[in-house]
Amino acid sequence: MTDDQPPPRLLLVEDDPDTAAYVRDGLAQDGIAVTCAANGTEGLSLVFSREWDIIVLDRMLPGMDGMAVLVRLREAGIRTPVLFLTTMDGVASRVDGLRGGADDYLVKPFAVRELAARVAVLLRRAGPARHVTTLRMAGITLDLLTREVTRYGDRLHLQPQEVKILEYFMRNPGTVLSRQMLLLYAWNVDFPVRTNIVETHISRLRDKLGHDGRQLIQTVRGVGYILRDVDLDHSRGG
């Protein structure tokens, strides 16, 4: 890590305060900024509210357990590396975690230096992705640091939730995102609700993107919405 490079941002979801302090203090020696959440619900909220370079997730948490958190964030299209901390050292539990989308696991009790080494490997494997600060597609530029959005150089005045929706689409181009996925990502609502808030924000976002906003964000009837670069599709003969 160079002097002008920000420290890696690690989210630790761990209900045991002693373990949390052990990890936080140990990783601080490697210049890693650790933010702690004490339960699955708080952890999931932080996952959707900020950008993280890596997530360390305790498997056994009160309320929403680690596996449920992992499934939620993967369903939302978040690909941040996840390392499981677990007291369950059986083969089946390790396989379940890896099949659920975890990138690595570590069995408790563990040495913090081993955890630091595994975190370093996952950060290195993630590579340049953690340095991405700008998303670009179809003439749209989204600055992830300032949250400013332009299209063909013209500033778009979007509301914060509209920026989050656009970011979600730009991170998952060509992927159908359901209404529930958008509710979870933009509003952290993970249960069915009767509201037209998604439809209202999608409509406003299309209008602000310009005359082809409806072509960019297309409705997939009965399923959700998809972001397409229409010009790119045409150039490919799509």
Side-chain angles (χ1 to χ4, degrees), residues 12-25:
L12 171 64
V13 188
E14 168 62 64
D15 62 316
D16 179 61
D18 292 336
T19 301
Y22 178 61
V23 171
R24 185 188 60 234
D25 296 345

Side-chain angles (χ1 to χ4, degrees), residues 7-226:
R9 296 154 301 185
L10 182 148
L11 173 62
L12 171 64
V13 188
E14 168 62 64
D15 62 316
D16 179 61
D18 292 336
T19 301
Y22 178 61
V23 171
R24 185 188 60 234
D25 296 345
L27 296 185
Q29 299 176 25
D30 296 272
I32 297 174
V34 177
T35 298
C36 299
N39 56 63
T41 302
E42 180 186 359
L44 193 61
S45 177
L46 286 171
V47 166
F48 289 113
S49 63
R50 305 180 197 172
E51 292 291 325
W52 303 99
D53 296 307
I54 186 167
I55 298 169
V56 176
L57 186 60
D58 188 18
R59 174 72 184 267
M60 300 298 289
L61 293 166
M64 179 183 289
D65 68 12
M67 180 60 79
V69 173
L70 177 64
V71 169
R72 291 287 189 185
L73 67 92
R74 292 301 189 230
E75 284 179 346
I78 294 174
R79 299 295 171 231
T80 305
V82 172
L83 186 150
F84 255 3
L85 297 177
T86 176
T87 57
M88 296 183 293
D89 57 357
V91 173
S93 66
R94 297 199 300 268
V95 170
D96 286 346
L98 295 172
R99 283 181 172 171
D103 300 273
D104 198 1
Y105 66 90
L106 194 56
V107 178
K108 293 180 176 178
F110 57 87
V112 75
R113 300 321 304 162
E114 181 179 1
L115 173 62
R118 290 175 181 267
V119 166
V121 169
L122 292 177
L123 289 172
R124 189 163 59 245
R125 190 182 300 166
R130 63 178 293 263
H131 303 297
V132 171
T133 59
T134 304
L135 301 177
R136 293 185 176 86
M137 182 179 175
I140 305 167
T141 300
L142 194 165
D143 188 317
L144 296 172
L145 300 179
T146 66
R147 313 300 291 171
E148 290 184 356
V149 179
T150 62
R151 187 157 195 221
Y152 300 118
D154 294 330
R155 174 84 180 271
L156 303 183
H157 298 281
L158 305 185
Q159 297 298 316
Q161 299 308 113
E162 295 165 357
V163 175
K164 290 201 74 169
I165 292 172
L166 181 61
E167 176 186 348
Y168 195 18
F169 276 123
M170 294 181 75
R171 288 185 183 278
N172 299 277
T175 301
V176 178
L177 303 180
S178 70
R179 180 176 177 278
Q180 193 59 46
M181 292 166 73
L182 290 164
L183 275 171
L184 180 60
Y185 190 86
W187 287 273
N188 195 27
V189 173
D190 62 352
F191 50 88
V193 293
R194 295 175 63 87
T195 174
N196 64 352
I197 193 170
V198 172
E199 291 77 7
T200 300
H201 280 70
I202 291 286
S203 177
R204 286 208 301 254
L205 182 56
R206 284 168 166 163
D207 290 342
K208 292 179 180 180
L209 287 172
H211 68 281
D212 59 348
R214 189 166 292 278
Q215 291 176 286
L216 282 172
I217 301 178
Q218 299 177 5
T219 300
V220 181
R221 187 179 296 276
V223 182
Y225 302 92
I226 185 171

